[in-house]
Amino acid sequence: MTAIGKLLVVLSLVAGLGVLAWSANVYTLRPGWFAKESPSVDKGHSPLTFEQLKAEIDTLHRSAAAVSEAWGREFATLEQREKYRDQRRAGYAERLLWAHKGHPTDRVNPKNPKSPGIGFYEPVIDSTTQLHDLTKRGRPVVDTNNNPLAGLDVQEASIANDVAEIERLSREIKAQREAFDKISEQVLATEQRAFKMTVIRDSIQAELFFLETFEVGVLETRETVFRRHDQLKKRLQQLGLVNP
């Protein structure tokens, strides 16, 4: 035990000397964390102190506060712009509905409540934002007849009706052309018949003229025969024949 005790004493002495040397070294080479910030630093050195860290923390804190304030302002601006965007999207959706179905209360013919609604309006520019003011309606867009344009669906239905009417009229025109061709054929046949009848009439008139001339000659001959007959009877009576 004596040897072990002596060994422990020696070890304790050696450890004490080591701790003493480390303590002296730490004291003599202690870091300058609590030192004042030096106004000038030698090249190749970057000393660190608690005052520097505190100043840097304060600077970062002020920067974070400024950034947070800017972020708050930008976030509020973003919310306002998103709200404005939603309002404009709703306005454009309403205008798009008008373009298809027509305005629910503004009619093409104000005197006829059953007439379709106006579908298109000229834009009104906001002098502040230079954008289309969706809260106001400009003048209605008119067609070539200076009538307000109805919604697209109404126009498509009208166009479909017009196309059906055009097809019906085309069929009717085709039927009328066929009837005209038939009538033209009948007219040509009638003209040919009339020409033939004219030729026949001219022939008949020529023959009639010939027969009338012939009848005149026959009548004169007949009168001559009757006159000669009377003369002969008178002469015979003069000769003594009572009833020749």
Side-chain angles (χ1 to χ4, degrees), residues 4-69:
I4 296 174
K6 291 178 179 180
L7 179 62
L8 292 175
V9 171
V10 173
L11 292 176
S12 298
L13 180 60
V14 172
L17 292 174
V19 171
L20 178 62
W22 176 78
S23 300
N25 188 22
V26 169
Y27 179 77
T28 56
L29 301 176
R30 64 184 182 275
W33 293 342
F34 295 96
K36 298 292 184 180
E37 183 178 0
S38 177
S40 61
V41 179
D42 295 335
K43 186 177 180 180
H45 295 274
S46 57
L48 297 176
T49 62
F50 286 120
E51 289 187 358
Q52 290 179 343
L53 294 176
K54 183 178 179 181
E56 185 176 0
I57 290 171
D58 292 340
T59 301
L60 294 176
H61 180 72
R62 289 193 295 271
S63 299
V67 171
S68 178
E69 183 179 0

Side-chain angles (χ1 to χ4, degrees), residues 18 22 69 85 105 108 126 154 168 194 199 210 237 240-241:
W22 176 78
E69 183 179 0
R85 182 200 62 179
T105 58
V108 173
D126 189 351
V154 177
R168 186 188 67 80
V199 173
F210 175 77
Q237 287 177 356
L241 294 176

Side-chain angles (χ1 to χ4, degrees), residues 52 76 81 86 120 129 135 143 167 183 196 210 231 238:
Q52 290 179 343
R81 291 182 177 179
D86 293 338
F120 303 94
T129 61
T135 61
D143 56 13
E167 291 178 350
I183 294 174
K196 293 179 179 180
F210 175 77
Q231 291 176 358
Q238 290 176 1

Side-chain angles (χ1 to χ4, degrees), residues 175-189:
Q176 293 295 333
R177 285 181 177 176
E178 293 176 353
F180 176 79
D181 293 338
K182 292 181 180 179
I183 294 174
S184 298
E185 293 177 357
Q186 294 177 1
V187 169
L188 291 175

